Amino acid sequence: MIDIQRLVKKFDDFTALGPLGFTFDQERILTVIGPSGCGKSTLLRLLSGLEAPTQGRIRLDGETISGPNPLISVAFQEPRLMPWLTVAQNVELAVWDRPDAERKEAVQAALVKVSLTQFADALPKQLSGGMAQRVGLARALVGSPRLLLLDEPFSALDPLTRVRMQDHLLEIVGDDGPNVLLITHDIDEAIVLSDRIIVLDGPPAQIRRDLVVDLPKPRKRSSREFQEIKELLLADLLPERIGALEEAA
Amino acid sequence: MSELILKLVRPLAAPAWPYALAHRAAAIVRPLIFPALILAVWQGLGSFSLIDPVLLPTPTKVLGALYEMVISGYLNPHLAISFQRVLLGFAAGSAVAIVIGALTGYSTWWRSIIDPTIHAIRTIPGLAWIPMFILWLGIDEGSKVVLIAKASFFPTYLNFMSGIARADRKLIEVGQVYRLRGVRLITKVLLPHSLPFLFVGLRQSMGVAWLVVVAAELMGASSGIGYVLLDGEMTGRAQIVMACMIVFALCGKTTDLIIARIAQRVLSWQDTVEKE
């Protein structure tokens, strides 16, 4: 269980986040959505241990998170691969502290998950954007994390590749994968993937809506339920739009 | 309409390869035109006795002098000792630069302690050190090598330090997320990231080392290309001086090419098109 309690993050006098608290456990994919600059990336940086909270705490299965943790991994908006390492070496970076045999096996398994075994010895400069992003995903998965943080991981991809990666993520997470906390500003992506959606307001980031999405997966984007959730979220994210819609009607 | 365009285009497109060949030949020849012109004028000035050949020996005379020095074996020991000085000085200077540069690049605390002093020392003219080095280390090899080492320290230090200091925050974060710290973060992320900067520094240092070896050998040496050059001056043989200038140019270019080739090999992961 991930338990976030009265979390606050200040940069000097500027409060970027909080106080904010929620727990999550059952949901495979929890999406945090909000306008840009609202503090959602700060939340992710706190969870990943890259930033320390000013107040409050984050606990994973009862243990307080202080700094980077092997049970929590991150895939960023950009692939962030080391250009001087091969695909396999980049993935290996996340499990450098494991014994040799175990490490090789884990890397192989992670590359299988993202269907990139043939490219194990390729350099990042030889990969397409989607492939590079999959390597980033493999690196985040290789250590069998308990919690996988995704920071707008598909936002830089072309629309078709993005849809393919979303399907791929659902496959990877499956029933026994890590819990995923996904940060996005793509409403469709949030609804397609999530078991629960938290809408943030800010700064400072605060919870505006906490919504459980229990539609069966895979989800049809054209379904009425999908569209209803979309309208709801749009209204949250663009409150000024409601007035305009009412006027038009 | 499209057929018409095809017909119009085909006769132009067909003889593409001789055109491309001519284009390539021109690309090779073009940069040679100007130096060839200079050489021709230079040779002409001498041949028609428009300039005193004692002041400006003709290219053929210079090449003749060079050929003679090489064939007679006179040049070899001097070349060897100059190379030895340059390589020793370069190796020592850049090795110290790499160690200190890694330290000041990685740690802002160490940078604030050491870096300002290094910049202050850098502003002292190189030649001003010569008397002190001779006083401390004598007129022999020691002072020459140290002078070269000191000069080749700075370019490598400056480039390597800024390469490490300016490492991509995003990649460092990846390292942090996967718990890389200290030496491991340096060797896995910072060092490879700063290698391109390091090689720029090494090439500049090698260039500087060849510049300084001349100064070092002019200050009372009995061997080295710089000595041969000085000897040419003392005995009024300008063709020897100019032949030595050519030797220096060739030596500098050769060592630079070697470093550039190594860099190309080591940095093949870079996603850039770098052309000489």
Side-chain angles (χ1 to χ4, degrees), chain A residues 65-124:
Chain A
I65 299 297
S66 57
N69 187 307
L71 294 174
I72 301 175
S73 70
V74 191
F76 297 93
Q77 191 170 356
E78 326 79 19
R80 297 199 185 186
L81 306 179
M82 307 292 159
W84 50 87
L85 298 180
T86 64
V87 165
Q89 287 167 334
N90 264 292
V91 176
E92 218 179 297
L93 206 61
V95 284
W96 60 270
D97 46 0
R98 307 259 177 99
D100 266 10
E102 189 190 328
R103 195 171 67 227
K104 294 270 180 278
E105 204 172 300
V107 170
Q108 181 62 22
L111 289 178
V112 169
K113 268 188 200 157
V114 297
S115 342
L116 279 177
T117 42
Q118 290 147 293
F119 294 90
D121 297 321
L123 283 170

Side-chain angles (χ1 to χ4, degrees), chain B residues 94 96-108 110-116 118-119 122 153-167 190-191 193-199 201-202:
Chain B
S94 47
V96 174
I98 287 170
V99 173
I100 300 183
L103 188 67
T104 55
Y106 180 63
S107 147
T108 46
W110 277 108
R111 195 181 315 160
S112 65
I113 299 255
I114 299 177
D115 196 53
I118 289 179
H119 282 273
R122 192 167 66 97
F153 167 84
F154 293 107
T156 297
Y157 170 77
L158 292 175
N159 281 288
F160 188 52
M161 184 204 75
S162 66
I164 291 212
R166 272 192 260 146
L190 296 177
L191 204 61
H193 179 274
S194 55
L195 275 183
F197 297 86
L198 176 63
F199 275 104
L202 288 176

